[in-house]
Amino acid sequence: MRRRSSLPVTFLLPTLAILLVLSMVPTLYAIVIALQNRELSSPGYSWVWFSNFADLFLDRRFLNAVWVSVKWEIVTVVATMVVAIGLGVLMFEVASPRMRNVYCLLFIIPVLLPRVSAAFVWKFAYHPLYGIATYPYRLITGGLIFDPLSKPATALFAVASVDVWQWGLFFAVIVLKLLETLPPQPIEAARLDHAKRWQIHAYVTLPMLKAPLISLMFVKMIESLRSFDLIYVMTRGGPGVATETLDMYAFSQGFIESGKVSYASAMAVLMMIATVITFTMLWKRVQA
Amino acid sequence: MKPIRPGRLIAKATLALAGFLAVFPLVWTALNALKNNVDIITRVPKVIFTPTLANIGYILGRDSVLTGLYNSVVACGSAVVIGIVLGLPAAYAVARYPNRFAGDIQFFVLSLRFLPPVAVAIPLMVIWLQVGLYDTLPALIVTYSLLTISVIMWLAIPAFQGVPKEIEEAAFVDGYGAYSVFWRIALPVAARSLIGAIAFSFVLVWNEFLIALMLSSSNAKTLPIVASELSQQGMNVPWGILNASVVLLSLPPLLFLGVLSGFLNSVFRQKKN
């Protein structure tokens, strides 16, 4: 009865066609623009083929941006997973069912905030003179000034802390829910063998959750690519180029500093190729 | 009586600290929104102060903020409606009429999330400029629809798969057609999870920043853009006003807190069974 219906075609085809058009038109056009020398200030353009790409590899600021982006990915993904697993296990171990519900609700709040809001909240908190997060430091040191966002050594970590505040706490909730889905027998068995609490998690529960935890990390890797809002509001890529990730640099090349749309697009195309290849490979591996 | 172990105490304290850190910065921002500037710019944070509604009044009285609010509501609302109309039926078709492309379709929908936003925003800006729709709401709505359709579809597929097959089979036996089974059985039964998926897509586009920043210059600015611009009004930053705008921007997503945490619970309950 189901087989003969026209439903799959009428329900699926229009949506897929629209998704294809909406995604392929900009993607292909990004490549076209990258091969030209368009600028925002003038309507004329000509084809320059691969010279934008050649220029990129000689551009030290671009290479810096690649390195900053890689650092950002590693720092945020690792810290998020550590916080999530740590807090998730703690909730599982010591929180009563009622407290678990309370914590779950509290831990979801930061991730719901617009990143612009989260960035502002912490930009105020990190203010060297009036910030609430720097207040304990001022109190202990008797008024010394600590300005995490304007020091090249700490700026990236200060911005990354906001990302972990949003995602690490949220993922802790998911880790807890994953632990709750596990059957109790293996944990009981390990307990009878006098395994310590941390041993139970390190050798029994977390290995059992390997697949979902890897999927979770995969999601975080994708979401970490969207760092632009945080960095734009908190540091604008500064101090200097210490927090200038690829999207930040592409934006400032294309819009703020020089209006070199084609150059920015070449960068975006390289990012797109890198992420699509990496994540397709990772996804196939996760699924396998 | 159980002995109190120090490890357990430390664990509880860590959790309490994390819970505090989760909400305190936001509470502090809300308090600052109610303060006069002199009470904010103090070396020692002030907990006791005379509250003022001036900041909130200022924010709600500004045309730019109201326009931003209007733009955000219209752009996000329309994109979510388009996402529902196109995404839900497609998700149902993938969930209930599996074909050999189902895996590829799901991967395609997910892979849209891999695209770096800059890579989408730059060409779209050029395209919208050429067709004369740059800095308009329709351009923003079309662009956001890509996000809402794919996210709603991705989350609705498991929601429809969670509907017991027997109910649908029974409806077929009762003489329902394929379409009325979708309308009258699948949609109502899956409604709770679907509302969660829709709320999630709304929060996602409401919070979106980069695309809106690149696709608008004056008329179509959304609330996040307007809020971020308030901070650039010279050196003398009106902190109270900024805090008030952060609160206004954050309220709509927080309204969905209950719906979304319920959605999360139902996803994992389904997994357990």
Side-chain angles (χ1 to χ4, degrees):
Chain A
M1 200 158 214
R2 274 164 189 264
R3 299 274 164 237
R4 274 180 281 122
S5 171
S6 64
L7 182 140
V9 176
T10 44
F11 273 15
L12 206 48
L13 270 191
T15 305
L16 284 184
I18 287 169
L19 278 182
L20 265 178
V21 170
L22 283 181
S23 61
M24 290 321 281
V25 167
T27 327
L28 294 176
Y29 207 62
I31 300 172
V32 169
I33 297 171
L35 301 174
Q36 301 169 338
N37 63 349
R38 281 176 193 263
E39 297 204 357
L40 272 188
S41 48
S42 63
Y45 63 88
S46 57
W47 293 83
V48 296
W49 304 108
F50 290 98
S51 80
N52 283 324
F53 293 94
D55 290 346
L56 275 178
F57 287 101
L58 298 173
D59 182 347
R60 291 186 57 183
R61 216 171 137 190
F62 170 72
L63 299 176
N64 169 72
V66 173
W67 172 232
V68 173
S69 295
V70 171
K71 261 199 296 192
W72 171 267
E73 279 290 308
I74 294 172
V75 169
T76 53
V77 171
V78 171
T80 297
M81 293 311 289
V82 168
V83 168
I85 292 174
L87 291 178
V89 168
L90 284 183
M91 278 193 279
F92 187 70
E93 281 295 329
V94 301
S96 61
R98 222 175 118 191
M99 281 316 285
R100 282 185 193 178
N101 285 338
V102 173
Y103 281 127
C104 285
L105 219 52
L106 293 182
F107 287 170
I108 297 176
I109 289 174
V111 83
L112 287 182
L113 293 185
R115 299 205 110 195
V116 174
S117 295
F120 271 126
V121 165
W122 283 94
K123 195 182 178 184
F124 294 131
Y126 281 141
H127 191 282
L129 291 179
Y130 315 121
I132 187 82
T134 53
Y135 173 65
Y137 182 82
R138 291 199 300 277
L139 193 69
I140 294 165
T141 59
L144 281 182
I145 282 173
F146 174 57
D147 191 356
L149 287 175
S150 67
K151 281 207 188 107
T154 53
L156 184 85
F157 295 101
V159 181
S161 71
V162 183
D163 187 70
V164 176
W165 179 64
Q166 290 198 283
W167 286 94
L169 296 179
F170 170 53
F171 276 9
V173 175
I174 297 190
V175 171
L176 172 68
K177 309 252 172 205
L178 286 172
L179 287 169
E180 286 173 345
T181 61
L182 287 178
Q185 295 86 354
I187 302 174
E188 291 299 329
R191 212 165 266 168
L192 289 178
D193 289 341
H194 299 292
K196 292 200 169 68
R197 292 292 176 115
W198 67 268
Q199 285 175 323
I200 294 177
H201 289 291
Y203 300 118
V204 181
T205 60
L206 294 177
M208 285 171 86
L209 291 173
K210 197 176 152 203
L213 287 178
I214 288 176
S215 303
L216 213 54
M217 194 160 96
F218 182 75
V219 170
K220 180 60 192 129
M221 288 167 81
I222 296 173
E223 291 307 319
S224 277
L225 293 172
R226 283 149 222 274
S227 56
F228 181 84
D229 340 17
L230 280 183
I231 292 171
Y232 182 84
V233 171
M234 292 184 78
T235 63
R236 289 263 168 146
V241 288
T243 56
E244 190 169 75
T245 51
L246 280 168
D247 40 9
M248 191 67 222
Y249 182 44
F251 179 77
S252 65
Q253 280 295 306
F255 299 90
I256 303 174
E257 289 165 24
S258 37
K260 291 197 277 186
V261 180
S262 283
Y263 195 61
S265 196
M267 241 180 281
V269 167
L270 283 185
M271 277 169 76
M272 192 161 66
I273 294 170
T275 50
V276 167
I277 291 177
T278 317
F279 287 122
T280 307
M281 276 169 35
L282 280 174
W283 174 254
K284 300 279 175 205
R285 186 165 282 191
V286 169
Q287 291 300 87
Chain B
M1 202 174 125
K2 265 204 295 187
I4 300 166
R5 285 180 302 155
R8 219 176 150 77
L9 216 62
I10 294 170
K12 284 199 167 176
T14 313
L15 273 182
L17 180 72
F20 172 77
L21 281 178
V23 282
F24 179 70
L26 203 61
V27 172
W28 191 249
T29 306
L31 284 180
N32 277 353
L34 298 172
K35 285 179 184 172
N36 285 308
N37 223 27
V38 277
D39 291 328
I40 298 174
I41 303 186
T42 55
R43 297 262 172 151
V44 178
K46 266 196 182 177
V47 185
I48 295 157
F49 58 93
T50 336
T52 168
L53 289 175
N55 299 317
I56 294 163
Y58 178 86
I59 282 290
L60 292 177
R62 274 183 73 98
D63 285 342
S64 67
V65 172
L66 294 180
T67 315
L69 189 62
Y70 171 81
N71 287 342
S72 272
V73 169
V74 172
C76 299
S78 314
V80 168
V81 169
I82 294 174
I84 294 169
V85 170
L86 290 171
L88 288 186
Y92 179 72
V94 172
R96 275 298 181 250
Y97 296 83
N99 56 49
R100 61 204 157 93
F101 304 114
D104 293 322
I105 291 171
Q106 268 179 286
F107 179 69
F108 166 68
V109 174
L110 179 73
S111 72
L112 295 176
R113 199 74 194 140
F114 304 167
L115 293 177
V118 225
V120 180
I122 294 174
L124 276 176
M125 190 194 72
V126 178
I127 291 170
W128 295 126
L129 274 171
Q130 280 172 347
V131 297
L133 282 176
Y134 175 72
D135 195 23
T136 64
L137 283 179
L140 209 54
I141 292 169
V142 171
T143 313
Y144 278 178
S145 297
L146 178 65
L147 284 173
T148 51
I149 297 170
S150 56
V151 167
I152 289 181
M153 210 177 141
W154 178 252
L155 292 175
I157 291 173
F160 281 125
Q161 282 167 341
V163 175
K165 265 199 170 134
E166 298 75 35
I167 308 182
E168 288 187 35
E169 297 297 342
F172 276 113
V173 172
D174 284 351
Y176 281 41
Y179 292 94
S180 46
V181 168
F182 169 71
W183 275 110
R184 294 161 69 173
I185 310 292
L187 270 187
V189 173
R192 279 186 57 130
S193 303
L194 295 178
I195 288 170
I198 292 162
F200 183 78
S201 79
F202 176 82
V203 171
L204 210 66
V205 284
W206 179 271
N207 295 355
E208 203 288 325
F209 181 72
L210 176 61
I211 293 173
L213 183 68
M214 286 197 180
L215 294 186
S216 65
S217 59
S218 59
N219 300 322
K221 279 182 200 158
T222 56
L223 202 52
I225 313 295
V226 175
S228 84
E229 277 173 357
L230 282 174
S231 72
Q232 290 149 33
Q233 292 178 336
M235 294 301 288
N236 195 1
V237 187
W239 281 43
I241 292 167
L242 257 174
N243 280 303
S245 75
V246 168
V247 171
L248 175 68
L249 179 63
S250 311
L251 277 180
L254 290 180
L255 291 179
F256 291 107
L257 179 65
V259 175
L260 287 172
S261 80
F263 176 57
L264 211 60
N265 283 331
S266 75
V267 167
F268 283 96
R269 207 168 302 132
Q270 199 176 321
K271 230 178 211 172
K272 198 170 185 176
N273 297 334

